[in-house]
Amino acid sequence: YTYPDALEKYHQAYQLYETRQFKKAKELFSQLLAQFPADRPTQIHLVNCQFYDRHPPGDDWEFATNDYNKSNA
């Protein structure tokens, strides 16, 4: 990916994450991580997507919270 392409894909993945479409977001974050393995935000969102895909959050879930610690519990 070029940087603009990767940024667009990241935004798409993040929008999917925000709308609780974790499986689709996980696919995009995985693709990005294959290209940019050291990208920390992508790593964190991928871990969260993997967790929430297996353990869907409750109705009170807000995507803006710091989910990283919860997903590693």
Side-chain angles (χ1 to χ4, degrees), residues 2-72:
T2 64
Y3 180 75
D5 292 338
L7 188 58
E8 176 62 28
K9 187 173 287 269
Y10 182 87
H11 285 294
Q12 290 172 355
Y14 193 78
Q15 287 176 333
L16 291 166
Y17 179 81
E18 286 179 331
T19 59
R20 303 167 64 120
Q21 298 178 61
F22 302 114
K23 188 170 294 222
K24 291 179 183 178
K26 183 172 62 172
E27 293 172 13
L28 293 182
F29 284 128
S30 292
Q31 292 171 15
L32 286 166
L33 205 55
Q35 186 72 26
F36 303 99
D39 185 64
R40 191 70 178 137
T42 300
Q43 292 171 356
I44 290 170
H45 286 308
L46 179 57
V47 167
N48 289 337
C49 285
Q50 291 167 335
F51 178 82
Y52 286 132
D53 191 36
R54 291 187 312 269
H55 311 283
D59 291 338
D60 61 343
W61 179 76
E62 295 182 26
F63 73 91
T65 61
N66 181 1
D67 297 325
Y68 183 71
N69 291 330
K70 293 178 197 172
S71 64
N72 285 315

